[in-house]
Structure formats: structure tokens, C-alpha cells
Amino acid sequence: MAKTKTTFFCQNCGTQYAKWVGQCSACKEWNTVVEELVQKPEKTAWKTRSNTARKKAKPVLVKEISIEREVRLDTFDLEFNRVLGGGIVPGSLVLLGGEPGVGKSTLLLQIALKLPYKTLYVSGEESQKQIKMRADRIRPNSETCLILTETKTQNIFQQIEATEPDIVVIDSIQTLHSDYIESAAGSISQIRECTAELIKFAKETNTPVILIGHITKDGSIAGPKILEHMVDTVLQFEGDRNYVYRILRSLKNRFGSTAELGIYEMQSGGLRQVNNPSEILISKNDEGLSGTAIASTVEGMRPLMIEIQALVSTAVYGTPQRSTTGYNAKRLNMLLAVLEKRAGFKLGAKDVFLNITGGISVDDPAIDLAVIAAILSSNEDIPIEKGICFAAEVGLAGEIRPVQRVEQRILEAEKLGFTTIYVSKNNKIGLKNTKIRVQLATRIEDVVSGLFG
């Protein structure tokens, strides 16, 4: 047996040290460095279903590699499929992270209950009765979902060999522990070792594994950063407790785009898929209100119509306030500077508050023009006419810049009943026979004169 070696890890960020230190030099946290075992005794690999030795890899010429399209497993959840890129790739590892109570376990249990494949749902946080209570609200009569409450990886692999599931769900990776690492569950070494064992299992048997991961107070997934490098896909499930809507984003995806977005609505019977998010993100106010503008944005392949609200008021204190919700505060300051320098609006001594309704965050520069329109509408206290929306970026010189996929944005606005959309004059638009009026603009002054006269 090899000599046992130990080293020191920061439990917050995973930085390794040769000796104990009081403060981590990477994340600046105090008393987070602990001693852990790093060299473990020799272990035997878990047995595969066929009990055969794994074939040795051989080098192959690039031109001889087959590029046949991989067969994906349908999750029967359109939003989940969209974010993954069309379904679950066999043999892949998917990591789902999110705030406590946002609905990570509910989402994966709901998918596991819908799947027609044999699914093993492993929970280290809840008992079987607790999971049954949640399953009764979602779909109580599933005949393909097996529930296992276990935290020891060796016992989990024994049950996997006995049941031979098509998909494995682990809730959560921070609760698992292996006999080959002498440290507590959730430590850096345990998370790394348990994930490595699951990756070996997934790649050897071509069985997809979905992991739930806890996050730290700064919003990153708990454990070593290498955890996100080891898995194939990293998903972020986010939402506000004050809203019923949940957003599923892809932070990393080896088998698809990272720009896709899935939207769910939390209900008593589980999470409902929102197939047309534009209707829920726009308030149904018949009365015209100042400070409100509609923007056409694109998340992945999906166009969205979002409502932007702005409030401009006289600063009560010496320093004007700049506050945003769901929007980049630095970009707001830039747009305010453009309005003051290029368009002549004196907003330097006024408070400006900006909010994107629905509790979502948007970083698409195509909503710049809608942000400016909402700010000017609130400043002048003149509501923007119903049926007008915006899709353009604003430059530092006050020019209206073109955006990508403008035709898709126009068609989405027309589908929802908008009558006019402001876009850049430099956009090349080939649409014909559209009922919506496309208003071309080159500078902010063109938009201001068209909206407020």
C-alpha cells in the first residue's frame, strides 16, 4: 500500500496549499482551508454490465472518424430539450445548479417521472416518503422511475448493476461520499472523486447521468472549479422567490448551444413549461403608462418580447441614484451619458431606476433603444403609444446600430399584434407582405421626434 499523503484545500474555491493558512489567497475567505487525504489506496474499478475489459483506445485518422449524428434521448420536456440542444446525449454528464428552493429537485423528479425509460433517481437529501409526497403532486403512477435513498457511491453502483437503468439522476453530488476518500461528504476531495467515478460509469456504459449541485453564497457551484470542467453540460436554474417563473440557462454545453433559454412556471402540481414567454413578460395594461417600452430580444433561437420600465425623478439626495433590475448598471450609465451628450437631455441630476419585468435578466444590446425610450418617456411623463416596440443598439455617438436576426424579431412582434417596430436603417431587411410598419432610424433624434413629436 502506498504511503498516505495529505494536503490542504480551500473549501470555498478549491485552491490547494502545501501547509495550513488562515486566509485563502485566492478567494480571501478566512478559516476555509482544511487538511484532506489526496493519495488513496489502490482500488478496483466497478464492474460493467457485460463484465468485460474495456477496449484500449487506438489512434485514428481524422478522415476515418465517423460524423454520424448522435442519437439523443427525448426528455419529453420541450424547454429542457431546447437548453440541452435537442435531448440528452447518451454517456454524458449534466450538472444542474441553482439557489436553494428554486426547484432543482422538482424539475428533475418531474422529468424522471415522465420518461418512458427506466430511470434511477438517487437522493441523498430526502427520504423515500418525502419524494413520494412530491411525486403524488406531479405524477403518482409512473412505472419507470426507481427511487433510491443512498449516499455511498459503492452501494449506488451495486444498485445500478442490479437495475440497469437507462438514465441516472443524482440529488445531489455534494451529499455523496466514497470509501476511498477519508474526508467528509461535500469536501473538495469527495466531490472530485465521486464525480470521477460517475464519469467512468457514464462513459463505459453509455448511460447519461444528471447531477444536482449546490451553489455557494457568491452564486458559483460548490466544490472545486474542476467539477464544471469534468462534466459535459452545466445548467443554471434561476428565479426569484417573488416570481413564479424560473429560467433554465446553459453555461456550458459540449453538444449544443449555450445561448438557449428555458422558461417554467412554478405551480402546485410542479413546473409548467412556458412555450410563449412573450405573453407572460408583457403586462396587460389597457391604460397607457409613461416609462414603459417593449423590446424585441433573442435568447438562443427564441425571440422574446420583454417589457422595460423606467422611473426618472428629481434626486432627493446630493448624489443621483442609478439602480437596475435585470439589466447591466454600467450599460445604463453609458446610455444616460449618450442621452446627455448627444441628445441634450439633462439627466445628470436625476435619479434613474430601470426594471425588466418578469424577473429575468437580459444582456442583449438590441434592447438599448427600448431602454432609452422608456427613460425619455418617464422623464417627459408621456406614455409611448401602444403597438410600438424597439430592436436596435445605441452607439456612443448617438447612432442607431443594426442588430442580428432582425427579421426574426420583426416577425415575433407582428405575431403578438404590434403595429410599429423601430430598427436601424443599416439593417438589411428582406421581409415582404408584413402588416407591421418597420420604422428605420439613424440617430436618437429620429426616434425622439417620432415618439414625442
Side-chain angles (χ1 to χ4, degrees):
M1 180 181 295
K3 182 180 178 181
T4 301
K5 291 178 59 178
T6 60
T7 190
F8 296 85
F9 289 96
C10 173
Q11 290 185 311
N12 185 51
C13 66
T15 305
Q16 184 176 349
Y17 296 91
K19 62 180 181 179
W20 184 88
V21 293
Q23 184 187 30
C24 176
S25 59
C27 63
K28 306 302 181 183
E29 292 290 333
W30 287 90
N31 300 323
T32 57
V33 178
V34 296
E35 184 179 14
E36 294 183 6
L37 184 71
V38 293
Q39 184 169 344
K40 49 190 178 296
E42 291 295 326
K43 60 182 180 180
T44 56
W46 69 280
K47 297 180 180 179
T48 58
R49 295 179 185 174
S50 59
N51 293 328
T52 58
R54 190 178 180 183
K55 295 181 180 179
K56 293 182 179 180
K58 297 181 179 179
V60 181
L61 290 175
V62 174
K63 64 179 183 179
E64 297 178 357
I65 299 176
S66 175
I67 56 173
E68 295 180 0
R69 187 175 180 181
E70 74 278 359
V71 178
R72 295 177 182 255
L73 299 178
D74 188 3
T75 63
F76 294 87
D77 187 302
L78 295 178
E79 301 298 305
F80 201 73
N81 281 348
R82 176 185 290 108
V83 176
L84 289 177
I88 301 177
V89 177
S92 64
L93 246 76
V94 179
L95 177 62
L96 175 66
E99 293 279 349
V102 74
K104 303 183 296 295
S105 300
T106 301
L107 174 64
L108 292 189
L109 179 61
Q110 179 173 307
I111 292 175
L113 295 172
K114 288 182 179 180
L115 290 175
Y117 328 109
K118 183 184 291 187
T119 307
L120 181 62
Y121 186 93
V122 182
S123 176
E125 300 180 345
E126 298 176 295
S127 65
Q128 292 180 342
K129 291 183 178 180
Q130 290 174 319
I131 299 174
K132 173 63 175 175
M133 291 170 60
R134 184 186 293 124
D136 286 340
R137 299 196 303 267
I138 301 173
R139 187 179 179 183
N141 298 322
S142 175
E143 297 181 354
T144 57
C145 182
L146 302 173
I147 305 297
L148 174 64
T149 55
E150 181 60 64
T151 58
K152 186 176 177 181
T153 57
Q154 284 72 29
N155 295 342
I156 292 174
F157 287 132
Q158 288 180 2
Q159 298 301 323
I160 287 175
E161 291 184 14
T163 57
E164 296 188 356
D166 297 312
I167 296 180
V168 177
V169 179
I170 305 293
D171 183 13
S172 63
I173 186 61
Q174 279 81 11
T175 61
L176 300 189
H177 66 91
S178 173
D179 285 342
Y180 303 113
I181 296 293
E182 297 179 1
S183 58
S187 63
I188 302 294
S189 300
Q190 284 287 7
I191 294 176
R192 184 171 55 238
E193 174 64 24
C194 294
T195 305
E197 292 182 10
L198 289 169
I199 289 177
K200 184 178 178 63
F201 156 74
K203 302 306 179 184
E204 288 187 1
T205 63
N206 212 30
T207 303
V209 178
I210 305 178
L211 310 175
I212 291 180
H214 297 165
I215 65 172
T216 60
K217 60 184 179 181
D218 61 351
S220 59
I221 296 178
K225 193 66 177 177
I226 193 174
L227 174 63
E228 299 178 41
H229 293 284
M230 294 168 69
V231 300
D232 299 307
T233 305
V234 180
L235 304 180
Q236 184 78 14
F237 201 44
E238 56 192 44
D240 195 326
R241 293 179 181 270
N242 299 321
Y243 295 94
V244 296
Y245 303 113
R246 302 289 186 266
I247 309 297
L248 183 65
R249 300 180 186 271
S250 176
L251 305 181
K252 169 191 175 182
N253 192 355
R254 289 174 177 163
F255 311 109
S257 171
T258 57
E260 293 296 341
L261 187 77
I263 301 181
Y264 294 87
E265 181 183 3
M266 179 65 78
Q267 297 180 343
S268 59
L271 291 161
R272 183 184 72 87
Q273 304 173 48
V274 179
N275 297 322
N276 189 5
S278 298
E279 295 183 357
I280 67 171
L281 297 176
I282 301 177
S283 60
K284 306 297 188 297
N285 289 327
D286 296 330
E287 181 182 357
L289 301 175
S290 63
T292 300
I294 307 299
S296 179
T297 182
V298 173
E299 289 284 349
M301 298 298 294
R302 164 185 285 186
L304 301 175
M305 304 299 293
I306 59 174
E307 180 177 337
I308 298 174
Q309 296 178 331
L311 176 62
V312 180
S313 62
T314 304
V316 179
Y317 306 101
T319 304
Q321 299 182 67
R322 303 285 188 261
S323 177
T324 63
T325 302
Y327 189 71
N328 191 337
K330 292 183 178 180
R331 193 162 187 86
L332 172 63
N333 292 331
M334 183 200 75
L335 294 178
L336 292 175
V338 170
L339 283 175
E340 184 137 0
K341 177 72 174 180
R342 304 296 183 185
F345 289 93
K346 304 301 181 182
L347 301 174
K350 294 186 178 182
D351 294 336
V352 180
F353 304 93
L354 192 72
N355 175 47
I356 296 180
T357 60
I360 69 170
S361 299
V362 180
D363 56 1
D364 185 3
I367 70 173
D368 286 353
L369 190 56
V371 170
I372 284 182
I375 292 173
L376 296 181
S377 173
S378 177
N379 184 55
E380 303 294 331
D381 201 17
I382 300 176
I384 298 174
E385 293 182 10
K386 293 193 64 176
I388 296 179
C389 60
F390 307 87
E393 182 183 355
V394 177
L396 292 180
E399 78 278 16
I400 307 301
R401 300 177 61 83
V403 294
Q404 296 181 348
R405 298 165 60 186
V406 67
E407 295 182 353
Q408 192 175 358
R409 303 172 194 264
I410 295 173
L411 292 176
E412 177 71 10
E414 182 184 12
K415 185 176 68 174
L416 294 179
F418 288 89
T419 57
T420 304
I421 181 170
Y422 280 83
V423 299
S424 172
K425 191 176 182 179
N426 298 321
N427 265 121
K428 296 181 180 179
I429 304 173
L431 294 176
K432 297 180 180 179
N433 301 324
T434 55
K435 297 180 180 179
I436 188 172
R437 183 166 65 97
V438 180
Q439 192 73 27
L440 303 179
T442 56
R443 297 187 61 82
I444 295 179
E445 292 86 339
D446 301 338
V447 180
V448 174
S449 60
L451 293 177
F452 309 110

